[in-house]
Amino acid sequence: MSDTPILAAGCVLWRRAPADGALELCLVHRPKYDDWSHPKGKLEPGEDALAGALREVVEETGYTAEPGAELPTLRYLVDARPKQVRYWAAAAAAGGFVPNHEVDRVLWLAPAAARARLTHAHDRDLVDALLGVLGEGS
């Protein structure tokens, strides 16, 4: 067992709904874990955390993103090893989802629905952090 943390990064990806301009958040479904989460992943050796976060968004959702404010860093254990995940708010730009080996579905949900769908409680705190950054209610 190593005390060296697993380093990862991701984004709370958001957009304005085409129909009414309401805030929507993108959640990804990972079949390997059967969970719903924000797009994130392990950093490559020597990779900058923000660059890794944006790379993971493209790989998992098919969307490029415009990064905004840094959100809280999450720390938790994975198989008794510490993991540290840095997050940013990011506005979805161009692109579109195509299912792949890591992510088989994405959902664009209102903040309250996203909070309810997220599998892990610590991911729900990121919804609240994003709302605070954007000056939005839930």
Side-chain angles (χ1 to χ4, degrees), residues 5-9 43 73-76 82-86:
I6 300 164
L7 300 178
L43 296 177
T73 296
L74 298 184
R75 293 173 177 84
Y76 51 93
K83 184 171 186 177
Q84 174 181 299
V85 188
R86 291 179 64 187

Side-chain angles (χ1 to χ4, degrees), residues 88-118:
W88 281 264
F97 177 68
V98 175
N100 58 66
H101 71 281
E102 286 186 58
V103 175
D104 62 350
R105 290 183 284 165
V106 300
L107 290 176
W108 289 95
L109 299 170
R115 192 182 292 108
R117 179 63 67 107
L118 286 161

Side-chain angles (χ1 to χ4, degrees), residues 4-138:
T4 304
I6 300 164
L7 300 178
C11 292
V12 179
L13 188 64
W14 64 274
R15 71 178 184 189
R16 295 290 174 183
D20 62 6
L23 180 65
E24 295 181 323
L25 308 184
C26 182
L27 302 185
V28 299
H29 181 261
R30 302 178 305 164
K32 179 178 178 180
Y33 304 104
D34 191 24
D35 69 352
W36 288 95
S37 66
H38 303 289
K40 68 176 181 306
K42 294 177 189 169
L43 296 177
E44 295 175 357
E47 185 176 32
D48 173 77
L50 179 55
L54 296 173
R55 174 184 53 75
E56 286 291 338
V57 166
V58 170
E59 288 177 6
E60 293 190 353
T61 71
Y63 288 87
T64 58
E66 298 171 7
E70 187 167 3
L71 300 174
T73 296
L74 298 184
R75 293 173 177 84
Y76 51 93
L77 295 176
V78 175
D79 297 326
R81 184 170 175 199
K83 184 171 186 177
Q84 174 181 299
V85 188
R86 291 179 64 187
Y87 281 95
W88 281 264
F97 177 68
V98 175
N100 58 66
H101 71 281
E102 286 186 58
V103 175
D104 62 350
R105 290 183 284 165
V106 300
L107 290 176
W108 289 95
L109 299 170
R115 192 182 292 108
R117 179 63 67 107
L118 286 161
T119 302
H120 305 287
H122 57 253
D123 286 335
R124 296 182 191 115
D125 296 336
L126 293 168
V127 173
D128 298 328
L130 176 72
L131 294 175
V133 164
L134 298 179
E136 298 268 338
S138 58

